[in-house]
């Protein structure tokens, strides 16, 4: 699938609605998530290559969230922001805080779940972390974790999930084999399902999560 917003084909349903936000990594596991949640939730997807400093990010986010209301929003942003110069030094945390604030404003009754960024490997050597790029991913995941904890947002540690499974990489640095994507999808679906069942009748999360 190309970049864009994809609404679930099921429309007239009492089931809760879920939104997945992310890039090609999400595209890899979206089918697994929809399959795992079949009969329990309908899943919309926003596939985007925008990074935290993209001027279009927040306006498009507001537009996507207007398709709600959503019970759960599982979001990621990260792999397209690491190249030098895209996010100015010291600006990652302030930009991420603005992103989280926009999510809160646009989906005030949704449970938010942060899916952190998966490892970056050496091209052609899936079993090894890229020594130039991956430290940036680790650093930003840590900064994001601090922000999510401040906002009582659950963290889905997809980095930790895949850190010892680099052999499931596709060999192009960032993407995963079918088995790797399915593993991520099942982890995402399980966390979404947990948060669907911990919501009270007002749509506010009944317990803070992780």
């Amino acid at each position: 699938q190309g970049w864009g917003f994809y609404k679930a084909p099921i429309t007239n349903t009492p089931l809760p609605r879920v939104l997945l936000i992310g890039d090609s990594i999400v595209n890899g596991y979206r089918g697994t998530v929809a399959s795992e949640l079949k009969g329990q939730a309908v899943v919309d997807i926003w596939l985007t290559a925008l990074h935290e400093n993209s001027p279009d990010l927040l306006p498009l986010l507001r537009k996507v969230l207007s398709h709600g209301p959503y019970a759960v929003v599982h979001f990621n942003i990260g792999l397209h922001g690491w190249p030098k110069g895209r996010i100015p030094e010291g600006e990652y945390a302030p930009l991420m805080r603005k992103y989280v604030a926009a999510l809160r404003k646009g989906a005030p009754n949704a449970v938010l779940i942060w899916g952190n960024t998966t490892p970056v490997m050496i091209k052609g050597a899936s079993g090894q972390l890229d020594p130039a790029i991956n430290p940036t991913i680790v650093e930003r995941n840590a900064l994001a974790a601090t922000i999510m904890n401040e906002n009582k947002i659950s963290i889905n540690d997809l980095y930790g999930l895949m850190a010892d499974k680099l052999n499931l990489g596709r060999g192009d640095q960032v993407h995963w084999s079918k088995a790797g994507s399915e593993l991520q999808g099942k982890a995402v679906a399980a966390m979404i399902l947990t948060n669907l069942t911990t919501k009270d009748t007002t749509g506010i999360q009944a317990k803070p999560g992780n």
Side-chain angles (χ1 to χ4, degrees), residues 155-167:
I155 298 169
N156 197 352
D157 185 14
L158 298 178
Y159 183 98
L161 177 69
M162 304 310 295
D164 62 351
K165 302 175 184 68
L166 301 181
N167 60 305

Side-chain angles (χ1 to χ4, degrees), residues 19-31:
L19 175 64
L20 300 181
I21 299 175
D23 49 33
S24 55
I25 304 303
V26 173
N27 195 31
Y29 62 66
R30 57 181 285 196

Side-chain angles (χ1 to χ4, degrees), residues 164-187:
D164 62 351
K165 302 175 184 68
L166 301 181
N167 60 305
L168 296 179
R170 210 189 287 169
D172 64 355
Q173 292 191 290
V174 298
H175 295 108
W176 302 89
S177 66
K178 184 179 178 183
S181 291
E182 285 180 354
L183 191 66
Q184 293 163 32
K186 286 181 178 180

